[in-house]
Amino acid sequence: MYSFTASEAKIQFGEVLNKATREPVGITKNGNPKFVIMSVDDYNALEAHKLENLRNMLTESIAASEQGDVYTMEDVFSPLTAEEIKSAGE
């Protein structure tokens, strides 16, 4: 993935958009990755993929529950530390 600093992206916005039509483009700030710019087609494909994965997980979960393969909240969360549970809520 091609990357620009935030300052470069501001100055070369046309080039950022040009590159983003072919592949996602990263934007960094203070040396850290902060944003990704991508075409609408790439974004829609990503969202469709996420939705497909969610549907598959839901289908698998329903099938497992219908077979009696269920877990209590304690089963799921007891292996987690308090810090892991706290950070998951952030």
Side-chain angles (χ1 to χ4, degrees):
M1 174 170 49
Y2 197 86
S3 184
F4 289 87
T5 66
S7 296
E8 291 169 338
K10 182 178 178 182
I11 295 167
Q12 302 173 43
F13 192 65
E15 181 64 18
V16 171
L17 295 180
N18 187 36
K19 288 190 179 298
T21 61
R22 294 187 300 276
E23 67 176 309
V25 175
I27 306 294
T28 63
K29 191 164 186 176
N30 299 322
N32 298 311
K34 293 292 180 183
F35 304 98
V36 174
I37 298 175
M38 64 178 68
S39 70
V40 169
D41 289 342
D42 286 348
Y43 175 78
N44 288 337
L46 178 64
E47 289 298 304
H49 181 70
K50 286 170 40 180
L51 183 57
E52 180 182 342
N53 284 342
L54 183 59
R55 285 181 175 145
N56 290 338
M57 288 173 40
L58 183 57
T59 298
E60 291 172 10
S61 296
I62 290 170
S65 73
E66 287 173 347
Q67 294 176 357
D69 190 11
V70 295
Y71 301 92
T72 66
M73 293 280 280
E74 186 175 310
D75 291 337
V76 173
F77 292 108
S78 64
L80 298 176
T81 66
E83 186 62 31
E84 290 171 322
I85 293 170
K86 181 182 176 192
S87 67
E90 295 176 353

